[in-house]
């Protein structure tokens, strides 16, 4: 029984010092409210015991995902109050983000402390990346990539507030942890409140009861305000996870003794403050010290020292340097080693292949060379190999631990790559259709795209997200969409949209070696060149070492400067390249065609140079044009090339309707075609 065990005096002393430090910080922040509340913050007051009990038992090889109320946990792993205060005041020296993100939003990569990848404020969103770390740990153990020198196997701690457990993405994380039996501890701190809504209003059950629905996820419920009970319970749980490699949820009941945040004051809505104060973990731990043989004077000395340290650190933090304006422009991306085209694009000994095979061969070559590379998503495993056969034979060649099916969980597929990357792996994942990307956008935006920037360069997410996209012949409203305008509005990711097999293979190789997140939009109508007029998507398969850097457009149809004729440039990508080439047969001397190949980074130099030469420009897209990437690009071209233009920059795309209909006549009416593009070319040349 836990009650029969005791805790060493030095552990109690260290815990009490940490608790007093956290408590003193909360009190000092309140005393200096007008100064420290320039930026919103939350504190752990009331939650300290369970946070410290957990933090004290973590090792440098472990990964922790604290949430925004976990400043005691950060103190418990060895952070100074000064470190946290630099973030509180958004100072340049903030060790987590350089002044970019909120208090107690850590990202840490110190050798002597648990690793903390970036996570956002979006409630509960850390559950999927943290479960991705555990999945990565398991994979490394399965294929022999784990560190054999470690005495204790690593684990993951995902800390959650009780209100976050109602989020759908929590269910995805729990499901995968239970299904795969991953080494992760979900620590749920239950204070009974969301912000102003309490548990009776918002939850059908608490986290302990909820966990019972996930077969294979063990759960316990404890008094998280009692340090001794918390420490012993976490000690046992951590031992099990390290040895048995399975998930456990700890539901810790705690009081919230401070404001939700500095901007949402507890006195505005709380009616349970007296009851909450009766469960304060501070006097409980203080009495446990006295019961263990500490004198009153020794306890008072600890309290006094904590207050002095906190006051001194706040004074120093207030004097620290603020970020400079130029600091805004660093760490949006990690530097990529791929800057030049390399290898043989059209080897004499290779055959012409369809685009989907170029992608398949690229992934196969990467997996042969790099054990860190793995592929997962819906239906990519051995039975099917992808609904477009884009992963055919890979599971048979590399094993089910490297190529595997996931549940229908787009958020998990996307967000787990944060954790996979954090442990040194390179995941290639896919959503089955672009139409299904929407549940994954939360993770793509909040976690994947911002990780490098908000961790001040410590945690770039190295991943590839494959997205089959576009209309390909009566796919209907849920299998035909184009989504590039949404994706290009997410800063912090790179985006490829190739039009040929050779480009797809070269960009896939570049994406693998890029330390940043990459989305590859792969047009379904080009995969097999079954759509009329797309034979040019078939190419000689490039050599194994062929790499095509991002941000290098291809002038697929080049013309010379001419004064005696009306000339123009078509700027396009994906299927648009084939519409443009087919539409300009018979006028190849007056229409230059640029294939962007990547939508970010964008090769603006090639575009502007061409338009200034030809004097006219048409941007071709498959998306509806209103509020689109293409229309924004048209505006950019107009702005940059205004003095050279002989006509307004025009765009052509799909009709501005909500969805692509199933009926083939309606579909063809909706989307562009060679004929429609040719009509627009004629209109622009005659302008």
């Amino acid at each position: 029984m836990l009650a029969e065990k005791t805790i060493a005096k030095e552990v109690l002393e260290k815990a009490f010092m940490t608790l007093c430090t956290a408590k003193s910080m909360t009190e000092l922040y309140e005393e200096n409210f007008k100064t420290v509340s320039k930026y919103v913050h939350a504190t752990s007051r009331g939650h300290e015991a369970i946070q410290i009990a957990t933090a004290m038992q973590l090792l440098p090889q472990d990964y922790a995902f604290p949430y925004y109320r976990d400043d005691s946990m950060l103190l418990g792993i060895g952070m100074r109050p000064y470190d946290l205060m630099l973030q509180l005041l958004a100072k340049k020296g903030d060790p987590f983000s350089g002044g970019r993100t909120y208090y107690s939003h850590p990202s840490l990569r110190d050798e002597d402390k648990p690793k903390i990848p970036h996570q956002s404020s979006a409630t509960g969103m850390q559950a999927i990346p943290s479960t991705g770390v555990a999945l990565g740990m398991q994979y490394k153990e399965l294929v022999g990539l784990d560190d054999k020198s470690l005495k204790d196997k690593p684990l993951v701690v995902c800390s959650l507030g009780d209100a976050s457990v109602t989020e759908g993405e929590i269910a995805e994380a729990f499901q995968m942890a239970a299904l795969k039996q991953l080494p992760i501890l979900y620590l749920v701190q239950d204070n009974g409140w969301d912000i102003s809504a309490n548990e009776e209003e918002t939850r059908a059950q608490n986290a302990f009861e909820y966990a019972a629905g996930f077969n294979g996820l063990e759960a316990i419920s404890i008094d998280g305000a009692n340090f001794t009970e918390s420490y012993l319970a976490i000690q046992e749980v951590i031992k099990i996870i390290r040895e048995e490699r399975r998930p456990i949820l700890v539901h810790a009941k705690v009081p919230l003794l401070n404001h939700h945040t500095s901007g949402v004051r507890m006195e505005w809505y709380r009616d349970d403050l007296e009851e909450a104060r009766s469960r304060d973990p501070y006097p409980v731990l203080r009495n446990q010290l006295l019961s263990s043989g500490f004198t009153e004077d020794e306890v008072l000395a600890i309290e006094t020292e904590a207050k002095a340290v906190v006051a001194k650190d706040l004074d120093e933090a207030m004097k620290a340097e603020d970020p400079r304006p130029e600091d805004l422009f660093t760490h949006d991306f990690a530097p990529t080693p791929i800057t030049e085209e390399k290898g043989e694009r059209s080897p004499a000994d290779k055959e012409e292949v369809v685009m989907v095979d170029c992608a398949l061969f690229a992934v196969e070559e990467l997996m042969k060379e790099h054990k860190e590379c793995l592929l997962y998503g819906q239906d990519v495993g051995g039975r099917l190999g992808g609904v477009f056969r884009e992963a055919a034979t890979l599971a048979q060649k590399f094993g089910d631990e490297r190529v595997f099916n996931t549940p229908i969980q787009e958020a998990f597929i996307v967000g787990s790559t944060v954790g996979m990357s954090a442990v040194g792996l390179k995941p290639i994942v896919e959503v089955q259709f672009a139409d299904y990307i929407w549940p994954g956008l939360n993770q793509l935006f909040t976690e994947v795209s911002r990780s490098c920037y908000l961790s001040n360069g410590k945690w770039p997410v190295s991943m590839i997200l494959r997205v089959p996209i576009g209309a390909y012949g009566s796919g209907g409203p849920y299998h035909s969409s184009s989504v590039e305008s949404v994706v290009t509005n997410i800063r912090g990711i790179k985006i490829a949209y190739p039009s040929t097999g050779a480009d797809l293979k070269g960009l896939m190789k570049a994406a693998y070696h890029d330390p940043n997140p990459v989305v590859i939009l792969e047009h379904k109508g080009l995969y097999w060149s079954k759509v009329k007029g797309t034979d040019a998507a078939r190419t000689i398969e490039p050599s194994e070492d062929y790499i095509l850097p991002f941000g290098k457009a291809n002038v697929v149809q080049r013309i010379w400067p001419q004064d005696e004729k009306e000339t123009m440039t078509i700027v396009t990508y994906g299927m648009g390249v084939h519409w443009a080439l087919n539409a300009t047969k018979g006028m190849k001397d007056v229409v230059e065609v640029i294939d962007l190949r990547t939508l970010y980074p964008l090769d603006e130099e090639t575009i502007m140079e061409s338009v200034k030469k030809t004097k006219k420009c048409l941007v071709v897209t498959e998306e509806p044009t209103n509020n689109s990437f293409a229309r924004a690009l048209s505006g950019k071209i107009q702005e940059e090339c205004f003095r050279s233009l002989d006509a307004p920059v025009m765009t052509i795309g799909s009709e501005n309707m909500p969805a692509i209909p199933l009926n083939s006549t309606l579909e063809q009416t909706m989307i562009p075609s060679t004929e429609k593009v040719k009509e627009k070319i004629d209109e622009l040349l005659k302008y």
Side-chain angles (χ1 to χ4, degrees), residues 94-295:
D94 157 29
F96 305 126
S97 72
R100 291 175 173 173
T101 195
Y102 293 104
Y103 179 71
S104 200
H105 285 58
S107 50
L108 196 65
R109 209 162 188 165
D110 291 357
E111 286 296 317
D112 62 339
K113 298 181 184 70
K115 307 302 173 279
I116 305 179
H118 159 264
Q119 62 257 306
S120 71
S121 275
T123 308
M125 294 307 98
Q126 69 271 33
I128 285 177
S130 61
T131 307
V133 169
L135 186 62
M137 286 178 176
Q138 183 185 73
Y139 170 75
K140 290 174 78 171
E141 290 168 18
L142 285 169
V143 300
L145 290 174
D146 55 317
D147 186 347
K148 303 293 193 302
S149 69
L150 293 174
K151 178 188 170 200
D152 297 296
K153 288 187 176 181
L155 54 77
V156 186
V157 172
C158 173
S159 179
L160 299 160
D162 52 317
S164 72
V165 179
T166 57
E167 284 277 7
E169 293 188 12
I170 301 290
E172 294 193 17
F174 287 1
Q175 180 73 240
M176 279 298 284
L179 177 69
K180 298 287 188 180
Q181 289 296 283
L182 302 178
I184 185 167
L185 162 58
Y186 296 107
L187 174 62
V188 180
Q189 300 172 56
D190 185 353
N191 62 37
W193 288 91
D194 291 19
I195 297 180
S196 66
N198 63 27
E199 58 190 334
E200 286 79 14
E201 298 172 76
T202 58
R203 298 193 273 293
Q205 66 281 306
N206 65 34
F208 171 73
E209 295 160 339
Y210 184 55
F214 295 90
N215 186 28
L217 176 59
E218 182 183 345
I220 63 170
S221 189
I222 64 171
D223 178 4
N226 185 312
F227 175 78
T228 298
E229 180 178 338
S230 297
Y231 188 90
L232 293 173
I234 294 294
Q235 186 178 60
E236 181 64 24
V237 164
I238 283 179
K239 182 176 185 293
I240 291 170
I241 296 174
R242 289 202 196 282
E243 294 175 358
E244 299 181 21
R245 318 306 282 155
R246 61 184 176 90
I248 299 178
L249 182 144
V250 175
H251 170 247
K253 288 287 291 181
V254 292
L256 178 59
L257 300 181
N258 197 39
H259 314 294
H260 169 71
T261 66
S262 55
V264 183
R265 316 290 288 174
M266 58 186 170
E267 57 268 16
W268 295 347
Y269 60 90
R270 292 282 296 276
D271 54 10
D272 68 335
L273 287 172
E274 285 307 312
E275 187 278 334
R277 287 169 186 142
S278 72
R279 295 185 287 124
D280 187 343
Y282 162 69
V284 176
L285 182 52
R286 194 180 196 279
N287 288 333
Q288 287 171 351
L289 256 72
L290 294 171
S291 299
S292 298
F294 287 88
T295 67

Side-chain angles (χ1 to χ4, degrees), residues 409-423:
Q409 294 185 342
E410 287 81 7
F412 185 88
I413 291 167
V414 174
S416 61
T417 64
V418 176
M420 286 281 193
S421 174
V423 296

Side-chain angles (χ1 to χ4, degrees), residues 557-562 567 588-592 613-614:
Q557 185 167 291
R558 190 183 296 273
I559 65 171
W560 62 96
Q562 301 169 69
T567 59
K588 293 183 179 180
D589 59 334
V590 294
V591 182
E592 189 152 290
K613 174 179 69 177
T614 66

Side-chain angles (χ1 to χ4, degrees), residues 378-429:
Q378 294 167 30
D379 298 303
V380 301
R383 286 193 181 89
L384 186 59
V387 294
F388 299 101
R389 306 295 287 156
E390 73 280 5
T393 73
L394 293 180
Q396 289 84 352
K397 289 174 180 174
F398 298 105
D400 292 337
E401 69 276 5
R402 291 189 71 186
V403 181
F404 59 89
N405 294 325
T406 66
I408 301 173
Q409 294 185 342
E410 287 81 7
F412 185 88
I413 291 167
V414 174
S416 61
T417 64
V418 176
M420 286 281 193
S421 174
V423 296
L425 301 175
K426 182 76 178 198
I428 302 175
V429 300

Side-chain angles (χ1 to χ4, degrees), residues 541-583:
E541 185 202 346
S543 62
E544 187 168 340
D545 62 347
Y546 180 64
I547 296 182
L548 182 62
F550 277 55
K552 304 283 187 182
N554 185 23
V555 184
V556 294
Q557 185 167 291
R558 190 183 296 273
I559 65 171
W560 62 96
Q562 301 169 69
D563 294 327
E564 71 280 5
K565 291 182 180 179
E566 292 294 313
T567 59
M568 63 176 286
T569 299
I570 293 178
V571 179
T572 187
Y573 53 91
M575 184 64 81
V577 174
H578 302 276
W579 289 326
L581 291 175
N582 291 324

